[in-house]
Every structure is written in structure tokens, then in C-alpha cells.
Amino acid sequence: MAEPKKADGKAPGAKGGGAAPGKAGQAARPKGAGKAAPGGEPQAPGKRASVSGSTPPRMRERFRSAVVPAMMKERGYSNPFQVPRLEKVVINMGVGAGKENAKVLDFATADLQAIAGQKPVITRAKKSIANFKLRENVPIGCKVTLRGPRMYEFLDRLVNVALPRVRDFKGVPPKGFDGRGNYNMGLKEQIIFPEIVYDKVDKVRGMDITMVTTARTDEEAKALLTHLGVPFREA
């Protein structure tokens, strides 16, 4: 004789509340979750955007087409890879008032980001100095390191646009080399860059620019930067 059904119309042993879970204590996965792409392989991530767009930097093309052959002929290099090249450019902006007012540091960071086209990092004090009222790990500035296309684009704007806008400009000093093929120079105003809107500047600030090259001597580094268009002051 068949067993009579219950009043709610469900089969014996069935539990209420929709779909049954796969394992005890685990919630049911949503439909379609965790599925792989067609073919049994996971989907590949999207292609990252290019740093400088489709147009190559003008300064890099000039280095490859004109500077390398000229330096090989001038200095007697037998291999193009012997020619020194620009490795990176570091821009540092010190903001001493940032230890008291964090908003000042925000203005400096925004200016440096507009100039370099890359988000800067905050630099902090490595140790406490009582005479300067400085405590350890307090933000005192910002810096940015440029490589590749952004490095060449910044150098192009610095040499051809920003430096000619300096009042009574006679060239950059040739004494900024450190003896290892790297050149350091300072700027007193950030408003010489066309990216900075003068009406929105809260305070005129300077910055230090370091050009790191693969040259072994200062003479090679100076020859490289001269061919790239850096206007050195005559001694």
C-alpha cells in the first residue's frame, strides 16, 4: 500500500527554501560563478594602456637617429651600445612647511604631478633633529622618478620650453656633475613650466632635478647631455 503524501505537497525528506546546497555548511554559488572562458582556459586580462600614446617621444627619436652616430664618430666608439644614454630623471621638491601644515604638501604634490605627468611619492624624515624641530617619519617633501618615454618627454619640455622662460637665462652651470656621470641642477620656480597655472599657485617653490646616465665619466655625460640639447653655461 502506497504511503500517503503530506499536506504541503512535498516529497518525504525534502527541505524547504529553494535550491539545496552542494555541501553541508556552504552556501550555494550563484549561477555562472567561477566558470572559465570557452575552451577551458581562464580569460586573459585586458591590455594595458600605453604610457605616451602612439606618438614616440621626439627626444628619444633624436637620440637614436642623431646623437648615437654623432657620439660614435666624435669619441671613436666601435659599438652603438658603448654610447652612454640617459637612464632616469629624478625630480625632488622639498616642502619644509609640510611638517606643520599637510595642505601645503598637497599643493606641492599637485604641482609636481602636473609637471612630471606621474604621481609623486611623499618623502619623510629619516631621523629627528631638535634644532630644526623635525621629528622622525614626518612628511617633508615629494619626489618622482621618470623612466622611458616620460623621461624623454620631460627633458624635451625642460630644454625647449621651461628653461628659455627663465629670466636672464644664460645656461645651466657645468659644475653640477657628481664625478660618476650624473648631473644635478636646481630650479627656483615651478611656474616656468607651462603646465602650471599661475593664478592657482599658492607659493613659488623650487625643485632639484637629477639626470642619471650610464656614462663612466663627467666628460662623457656632459657630451651626451649637450647633444640632447641641454644648454650648458660657458666657463
Side-chain angles (χ1 to χ4, degrees):
M1 188 173 181
E3 185 179 355
K5 294 184 178 180
K6 294 188 177 181
D8 54 0
K10 295 181 181 179
K15 296 182 179 180
K23 293 183 180 180
Q26 293 185 358
R29 281 189 174 186
K31 196 171 183 180
K35 285 187 176 181
E41 296 181 359
Q43 296 182 358
K47 186 178 180 181
R48 298 182 62 181
S50 178
V51 175
S52 59
S54 58
T55 305
R58 181 176 61 174
M59 186 74 75
R60 186 175 66 181
E61 295 299 314
R62 177 184 174 184
F63 171 77
R64 294 176 177 176
S65 61
V67 176
V68 172
M71 291 196 67
M72 288 182 65
K73 183 178 180 181
E74 177 184 331
R75 306 187 67 85
Y77 296 124
S78 59
N79 193 317
F81 293 99
Q82 290 180 318
V83 178
R85 59 196 66 226
L86 200 62
E87 188 175 356
K88 63 181 177 180
V89 174
V90 182
I91 312 171
N92 177 44
M93 184 179 290
V95 187
K99 61 179 182 294
E100 300 174 358
N101 187 2
K103 194 173 182 180
V104 177
L105 197 61
D106 294 338
F107 282 107
T109 304
D111 290 345
L112 189 55
Q113 183 172 355
I115 292 171
Q118 183 173 312
K119 187 175 181 180
V121 296
I122 304 299
T123 55
R124 300 179 179 272
K126 294 183 179 179
K127 61 181 180 179
S128 301
I129 302 177
N131 293 337
F132 296 150
K133 298 181 181 179
L134 187 65
R135 293 177 297 173
E136 186 179 358
N137 206 32
V138 172
I140 55 174
C142 54
K143 72 173 182 178
V144 62
T145 302
L146 302 177
R147 292 183 174 89
R150 284 178 179 166
M151 173 187 66
Y152 286 105
E153 289 171 356
F154 169 77
L155 186 61
D156 193 358
R157 287 185 284 110
L158 175 68
V159 171
N160 299 314
V161 180
L163 290 180
R165 298 177 67 180
V166 177
R167 183 180 300 177
D168 299 330
F169 180 69
K170 298 179 181 179
V172 296
K175 297 182 180 180
F177 292 94
D178 62 350
R180 300 180 180 178
N182 305 318
Y183 181 70
N184 301 279
M185 61 174 292
L187 298 177
K188 296 182 179 180
E189 300 175 344
Q190 85 274 32
I191 57 177
I192 63 174
F193 290 93
E195 294 84 5
I196 301 298
V197 181
Y198 184 78
D199 295 336
K200 297 182 180 181
V201 173
D202 63 321
K203 184 180 179 181
V204 176
R205 298 184 182 87
M207 66 187 72
D208 299 319
I209 301 175
T210 302
M211 303 177 189
V212 181
T213 70
T214 60
R216 298 181 179 180
T217 62
D218 293 344
E219 184 184 0
E220 285 184 337
K222 185 177 180 180
L224 170 65
L225 296 178
T226 302
H227 280 289
L228 288 175
V230 178
F232 286 101
R233 187 184 308 165
E234 295 183 1

